[in-house]
Amino acid sequence: MRSNKKNRKWLKVTGIILLLLIIAGGAYAFSVYKSFKTAVDTMHQPIERKQSEKREEPVAFHEKDPFSVLLLGVDEREGDKGRSDSLIVLTVNPNNNSVKMLSIPRDTRTEIIGKGKDDKINHAYAFGGVPMAMDTVENFLDIPIDYYVQINMEGFKDIVDAVGGVTVQNDLDFTDGGVHFAKGEITLNGEQALIFSRMRYNDPRGDFGRQLRQRQIIQAVINEGASVSSLAKFSDIFNALGKNVKTNLTFGQMMDIQKNYKSAAGNIQQMEIKETGTKINGIYYGLVAKEEQQRIQNELKAQLELQ
């Protein structure tokens, strides 16, 4: 009985990291705890950014304040800091026990805060790194963006391999990157998962289909990380995370999150933005109607209890 209880706690540790550091955690042995802390210390990268003007007081985890996280999937290349290949905003509310996950299409046209012009939202990272990306998303959604988690997309395949691969339900038969993805349940290794999550040109849904596959891969990684078979893989998993993930969350904050927010992790609700594609000066953009933008903003503000 004692052993089973310890195993359950360890599974929660893996969960908190794999669900972008917001799922319940714990440690059942010093070696696991030490590996976890080492990985988090490696991942921790504070940024120079003032507290959001959209918050009167900083987030207090011990008081179970709802908070937000910007997930940046960055395509890093040698000699270039890259661009944000994907942007996902998580709003976590322990009072209604839910996490809302919003994918923002990377071609979305909006004001780039600090640059003084309208452009594709994913260009904010290229222009000004994580701070400009956070400021731009914050302005677009009209909510505070409290924390960030940056994942190197090239290294994301290492995370998938570390959990032993993932299984997803594919709703589109396609071939990309020399790999055929049959319709139905498929099992993918890290390289295949990366190709699967990036493809959009062979999908009639365009970027929306790509966002769906990205969320599938993230959810599948969480499921694999929380499986019994991952017990022997914690060292590989933590190592892969330490190399490929950066965040301004500290180890202490993650421990506060696992203590006070674990009930929200079991209820992840997907959100999508409706856009109209158009070309401006020969460049493709996704335009969001004011009514649609307001709808998204209202839902997120309610989730963060800002209304």
Side-chain angles (χ1 to χ4, degrees), residues 72-75 77 81-87 104-112 119-129 132-133 136-137 200 207 210 283-285:
L72 290 163
V74 177
D75 185 11
R77 302 167 187 174
K81 65 181 177 182
R83 293 181 179 177
S84 49
D85 189 59
S86 62
L87 300 96
I104 304 177
R106 63 182 186 177
D107 293 330
T108 301
R109 184 177 172 87
T110 189
E111 180 183 357
I112 306 299
D119 204 337
K120 295 185 179 184
I121 197 166
N122 74 318
H123 287 185
Y125 178 84
F127 292 141
M132 189 173 287
T136 297
V137 172
R200 65 170 176 162
D207 209 37
R210 188 177 69 96
I283 300 174
Y284 178 86
Y285 294 96

Side-chain angles (χ1 to χ4, degrees), residues 223-235:
N223 294 340
E224 291 296 332
S227 71
V228 175
S229 63
S230 292
L231 283 170
K233 305 172 186 173
F234 75 87
S235 181

Side-chain angles (χ1 to χ4, degrees), residues 8-259:
R8 286 197 297 271
K9 286 184 178 180
W10 185 89
L11 292 177
K12 289 179 181 179
V13 169
T14 305
I16 186 176
I17 307 173
L18 298 178
L19 184 54
L20 316 176
L21 317 174
I22 61 169
I23 295 183
Y28 85 101
F30 178 73
S31 60
V32 177
Y33 176 89
K34 186 177 180 181
S35 295
F36 175 47
K37 189 176 187 307
T38 298
V40 174
D41 289 344
T42 303
M43 290 187 288
H44 181 60
Q45 185 167 312
I47 56 175
E48 293 186 6
R49 184 174 182 258
K50 295 180 181 179
Q51 179 184 312
S52 172
E53 295 180 355
K54 300 183 185 300
R55 276 205 183 278
E56 295 182 1
E57 299 290 338
V59 173
F61 291 134
H62 64 279
E63 294 182 2
K64 296 187 176 182
D65 289 344
F67 69 97
S68 64
V69 179
L70 173 62
L71 169 65
L72 290 163
V74 177
D75 185 11
E76 294 181 336
R77 302 167 187 174
E78 187 175 350
D80 182 4
K81 65 181 177 182
R83 293 181 179 177
S84 49
D85 189 59
S86 62
L87 300 96
I88 298 175
V89 174
L90 304 175
T91 49
V92 187
N93 189 322
N95 302 315
N96 64 18
N97 293 326
S98 71
V99 177
K100 294 205 173 185
M101 180 184 290
L102 171 69
S103 296
I104 304 177
R106 63 182 186 177
D107 293 330
T108 301
R109 184 177 172 87
T110 189
E111 180 183 357
I112 306 299
I113 302 302
K115 200 67 177 176
K117 68 173 185 177
D118 288 355
D119 204 337
K120 295 185 179 184
I121 197 166
N122 74 318
H123 287 185
Y125 178 84
F127 292 141
V130 173
M132 189 173 287
M134 293 177 73
D135 289 344
T136 297
V137 172
E138 183 171 281
N139 180 71
F140 176 67
L141 297 177
D142 196 28
I143 61 168
I145 298 297
D146 302 306
Y147 302 98
Y148 83 93
V149 175
Q150 177 182 326
I151 299 177
N152 174 15
M153 294 304 291
E154 280 295 329
F156 186 69
K157 59 187 178 185
D158 296 334
I159 299 174
V160 173
D161 286 334
V163 300
V166 295
T167 299
V168 297
Q169 193 69 31
N170 182 27
D171 64 357
L172 179 69
D173 188 292
F174 68 93
T175 298
D176 195 65
V179 181
H180 177 242
F181 299 93
K183 195 172 182 178
E185 186 175 278
I186 56 176
T187 299
L188 309 172
N189 61 26
E191 184 66 35
Q192 293 166 340
L194 187 61
I195 296 172
F196 179 80
S197 65
R198 278 180 165 174
M199 190 282 288
R200 65 170 176 162
Y201 294 112
N202 293 327
D203 191 330
R205 298 166 296 186
D207 209 37
F208 290 102
R210 188 177 69 96
Q211 293 168 38
L212 172 63
R213 287 188 294 278
Q214 288 175 347
R215 292 195 297 267
Q216 281 183 294
I217 294 296
I218 290 172
Q219 189 67 59
V221 167
I222 295 166
N223 294 340
E224 291 296 332
S227 71
V228 175
S229 63
S230 292
L231 283 170
K233 305 172 186 173
F234 75 87
S235 181
D236 291 339
I237 294 172
F238 292 161
N239 185 53
L241 288 165
K243 288 182 178 179
N244 296 295
V245 177
K246 297 175 184 176
T247 180
N248 57 340
L249 284 164
T250 66
F251 179 79
Q253 288 173 325
M254 291 184 204
M255 292 298 94
D256 286 340
I257 291 172
Q258 68 84 14
K259 180 180 179 181

Side-chain angles (χ1 to χ4, degrees), residues 54-56 66 142-144 300-307:
K54 300 183 185 300
R55 276 205 183 278
E56 295 182 1
D142 196 28
I143 61 168
L300 293 177
K301 287 178 182 178
Q303 175 72 353
L304 293 174
E305 300 181 4
L306 298 175
Q307 291 183 327

